[in-house]
Each structure stands twice: as C-alpha cells, then as structure tokens.
Amino acid sequence: MPDIEVGIRRMTTDRYELTVAELFVGDSNFEQQLTNSGETEDLLEIN
C-alpha cells in the first residue's frame, strides 16, 4: 500500500469554539474535491 500524506491546516474557530480547518490528502484539498463533485453532504464534522 502506498504512503499517503494527510494534513490539516487550522483556519479559525467558529462561534461555538470548534476548529475550522482544511483537510489535505496528498496535494489535494479534500473539501474542495467534495464540493466539486457535488458530495458536500458527506463533509465530516470533527468535534
């Protein structure tokens, strides 16, 4: 199985003090890929 880098870049916190972040898999922005494919209902909320 190939090694895949996963990274998180913290952006800010929301009004509930939850972290808002970008998730990267390899060189790709995961949320951007979901948005482009129309799969935004599947975005993860990590508490």
Side-chain angles (χ1 to χ4, degrees):
M1 179 177 278
D3 290 336
I4 300 173
E5 274 192 45
V6 176
I8 297 173
R9 181 170 63 176
R10 292 178 188 224
M11 305 297 287
T12 188
T13 55
D14 66 10
R15 63 182 174 176
Y16 303 107
E17 299 298 318
L18 298 173
T19 298
V20 178
E22 289 182 308
L23 173 64
F24 292 90
V25 178
D27 292 331
S28 300
N29 182 309
F30 187 70
E31 289 91 352
Q32 191 172 41
Q33 286 183 346
L34 285 176
T35 301
N36 292 342
S37 69
E39 299 293 331
T40 54
E41 297 94 33
D42 294 336
L43 288 176
L44 300 175
E45 181 178 320
I46 302 171
N47 294 320

